[in-house]
């Protein structure tokens, strides 16, 4: 009865109503979707060995080994994140900015072996940015889900659409007496207070902004390319 209930929950026929062909089709489909052999065996009320034999008819040993490793590694990584999470959200932590009192939420991840960070004072807005970048967003607890919804109430849905000539969120060019003739300036108002920071180098400005926990968004491909070029120029100097 327990297996039959589980089968129905997954949209699968009870095991005594499935033909061998239907069972085989389900096993391969479930395996391709990311399920483990053990989970599939429980779904159809058969042994893991039975499931393994069906899968070995389609995939060779090396591919199965790689798939199993990836599934176990992914599950362990998620379990580790769940256990260590202080926010109840995957990759997210709350940062108390003691320097200027502007606390914020931070989402950290690796891209091309480099640690990246997305920050926002609004947790729901952080979620929007993360999902738009195609990254994982997982709320482990009911409390975390409720908190995200609470932040949604004060979320400005148009704030991410404020494009300007520079291609960077909140960034403008200001004429100066520098060699290049201008500096990059990042500014915004919060609680009736103007927050401002500038630099002659856009990648240095980005670092300063992120160090303060402020939002940094490259709105165009050209903006992203410019940051990458500036980063490379700085690395070549050292």
């Amino acid at each position: 009865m327990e297996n039959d209930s589980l089968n129905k929950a997954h949209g699968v026929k009870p095991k005594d109503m499935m033909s061998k062909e239907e069972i085989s089709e389900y096993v391969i489909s479930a395996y391709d979707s990311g399920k483990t052999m053990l989970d599939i065996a429980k779904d159809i009320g058969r042994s893991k060995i039975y499931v393994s034999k069906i899968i070995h008819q389609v995939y060779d040993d090396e591919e199965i080994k790689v798939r199993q490793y990836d599934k176990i590694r992914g599950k362990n990584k998620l379990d580790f994140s769940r256990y260590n999470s202080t926010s109840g959200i995957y990759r997210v932590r709350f940062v108390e900015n003691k320097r200027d009192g502007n606390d914020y939420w931070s989402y950290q991840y690796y891209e091309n072996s480099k640690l990246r960070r997305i920050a926002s004072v609004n947790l729901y807005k952080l979620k929007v940015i993360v999902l738009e970048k195609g990254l994982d967003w997982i709320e482990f607890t009911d409390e975390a889900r409720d908190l995200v919804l609470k932040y949604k109430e004060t979320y400005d849905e148009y704030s991410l659409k404020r494009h300007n000539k520079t291609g960077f969120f909140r960034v403008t060019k200001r004429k100066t007496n520098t060699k290049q003739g201008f500096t990059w300036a990042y500014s915004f108002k919060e609680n009736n207070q103007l927050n401002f920071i500038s630099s002659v180098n856009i990648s240095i400005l980005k670092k300063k902004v992120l160090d303060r926990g402020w939002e940094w968004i490259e709105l165009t491909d050209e903006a992203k390319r410019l940051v990458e070029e500036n980063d490379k120029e700085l690395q070549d100097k050292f």
Side-chain angles (χ1 to χ4, degrees), residues 1-227:
M1 290 295 293
E2 181 179 352
N3 284 331
D4 288 347
S5 297
L6 189 60
N7 289 337
K8 290 176 182 177
H10 289 273
V12 185
K13 288 182 181 179
K15 61 181 183 297
D16 56 352
M17 295 178 61
M18 295 175 71
S19 66
K20 287 185 177 180
E21 291 76 14
E22 287 175 324
I23 291 176
S24 295
E25 287 178 5
Y26 173 74
V27 168
I28 298 304
S29 175
Y31 189 68
D32 286 342
S33 71
K35 282 195 172 185
T36 63
M37 293 185 190
L38 183 59
D39 287 337
I40 299 170
K42 290 179 179 178
D43 284 351
I44 63 175
R46 302 297 177 98
S47 69
K48 183 180 176 182
I49 294 175
Y50 179 87
V51 171
S52 177
K53 285 181 179 178
I54 294 176
I55 292 172
H56 275 84
Q57 292 173 3
V58 178
Y59 299 110
D60 59 36
D61 290 339
E62 187 60 31
E63 186 169 2
I64 290 173
K65 187 185 298 183
V66 171
R67 283 179 175 230
Q68 290 299 102
Y69 174 74
D70 287 343
K71 289 173 185 177
I72 292 172
R73 182 179 61 179
K75 183 178 185 301
N76 289 342
K77 183 178 179 181
L78 193 60
D79 286 343
F80 179 80
S81 297
R82 185 196 305 268
Y83 177 78
N84 287 278
S85 175
T86 57
S87 67
I89 303 172
Y90 181 52
R91 293 175 174 169
V92 173
R93 66 189 182 95
F94 182 71
V95 180
E96 292 186 25
N97 195 340
K98 295 180 180 179
R99 178 167 51 187
D100 53 23
N102 290 319
D103 301 338
Y104 60 94
W105 296 92
S106 174
Y107 180 101
Q108 294 188 176
Y109 65 102
Y110 281 91
E111 183 179 67
N112 299 325
S113 300
K114 290 185 179 181
L115 181 64
R116 308 288 188 184
R117 183 178 66 174
I118 305 171
S120 178
V121 295
N122 186 297
L123 185 57
Y124 182 77
K125 187 172 184 178
L126 180 65
K127 177 178 181 178
V128 172
I129 298 171
V130 167
L131 292 177
E132 285 188 348
K133 286 181 175 290
L135 300 168
D136 294 323
W137 181 274
I138 304 171
E139 295 155 9
F140 295 128
T141 65
D142 291 337
E143 290 80 4
R145 283 187 282 274
D146 291 342
L147 186 60
V148 171
L149 290 175
K150 184 177 180 181
Y151 270 93
K152 185 178 180 180
E153 295 174 3
T154 58
Y155 170 63
D156 178 6
E157 63 179 316
Y158 298 104
S159 61
L160 289 181
K161 300 177 182 179
R162 295 171 190 160
H163 290 63
N164 56 47
K165 294 179 181 179
T166 67
F168 298 96
F169 180 55
R170 293 177 174 168
V171 174
T172 58
K173 283 183 179 181
R174 300 200 171 196
K175 290 183 179 181
T176 58
N177 294 323
T178 58
K179 186 178 179 180
Q180 67 182 12
F182 69 90
T183 58
W184 299 95
Y186 180 102
S187 63
F188 67 101
K189 274 190 175 183
E190 188 175 64
N191 298 326
N192 294 320
Q193 178 182 348
L194 177 64
N195 296 283
F196 176 88
I197 194 169
S198 64
S199 175
V200 294
N201 186 294
I202 192 66
S203 62
I204 292 178
L205 179 65
K206 176 179 180 178
K207 184 178 184 306
K208 288 181 178 180
V209 168
L210 293 177
D211 284 346
R212 285 164 173 75
W214 296 340
E215 294 172 75
W216 179 267
I217 307 173
E218 292 148 16
L219 300 166
T220 65
D221 291 336
E222 178 64 21
K224 293 176 183 177
R225 184 188 62 76
L226 184 59
V227 171

